[in-house]
Amino acid sequence: MPITRAGVSIDFDQIGEGPTIVLLPGSFSTTAAWKPISDRLRHRYRLVATSLLGCGRTDERRTETDCGIEHQFRAIDAVLEEAGEPVHLVGHSWGASIALMTGLRSDRDIRSLTLIDSNLSAVLRDTDDSHLYDEMQQMSEAYIDAYAA
């Protein structure tokens, strides 16, 4: 069942009882991506799944001239608000990048982040945490140098 914030519909499906886990799918996916996992964990956790902007029952907020990640962050922050706190945040692919940004920027009580198959460099490079991007680049360069040697 979607929630509405500032006139925008955002997917919000929940199942189960217990500590809350918020699930963010990858690009072009929906809450259905988490169904096999939700079916297994519903007896121990409250699972909240959403869809990213423009997918499932989540309205698109971005435009051709304003397509920044900030729009995704605001939508996920609304999901976290609705879910209540504390939460564990899990993201896959692009959803993992959004989860990282949310973990770095949100004031919500996020107990853990699980990032699956993520591309973190774009998020780190474009946030106030660019020092983490620099550290990641240094680590990558050291690995490449060690491999070459």
Side-chain angles (χ1 to χ4, degrees):
M1 172 176 191
I3 61 173
T4 303
R5 293 292 188 280
V8 176
S9 180
I10 304 168
D11 256 350
F12 188 92
D13 290 347
Q14 61 181 328
I15 189 171
E17 293 183 24
T20 301
I21 300 174
V22 175
L23 304 165
L24 309 182
S27 299
F28 310 112
S29 192
T30 67
T31 60
W34 298 106
K35 185 167 178 10
I37 292 169
S38 296
D39 287 345
R40 290 181 178 261
L41 297 178
R42 67 189 287 177
H43 303 291
R44 297 186 320 187
Y45 300 97
R46 175 177 169 241
L47 299 143
V48 174
T50 191
S51 302
L52 300 182
L53 296 175
C55 299
R57 295 166 296 177
T58 300
D59 293 341
E60 181 60 81
R61 287 182 164 180
R62 300 164 294 178
T63 66
E64 288 184 30
T65 58
D66 183 14
C67 58
I69 195 170
E70 183 69 27
H71 296 287
Q72 294 281 13
F73 170 72
R74 283 194 300 268
I76 299 310
D77 196 56
V79 169
L80 295 179
E81 177 184 26
E82 184 72 20
E85 299 176 39
V87 301
H88 299 275
L89 189 56
V90 176
H92 172 251
S93 189
W94 181 235
S97 297
I98 303 303
L100 175 63
M101 180 184 192
T102 302
L104 291 171
R105 296 182 66 195
S106 180
D107 292 333
R108 310 254 177 234
D109 186 0
I110 299 172
R111 296 290 169 97
S112 67
L113 282 174
T114 302
L115 309 175
I116 305 163
D117 192 25
S118 59
N119 179 0
L120 307 179
S121 61
V123 172
L124 295 175
R125 184 186 63 232
D126 298 332
T127 66
D128 292 337
D129 297 287
S130 61
H131 68 282
L132 296 174
Y133 172 79
D134 294 338
E135 289 178 25
M136 192 172 79
Q137 287 300 110
Q138 291 171 3
M139 180 187 67
S140 296
E141 289 168 10
Y143 173 81
I144 291 168
D145 291 344
Y147 180 80

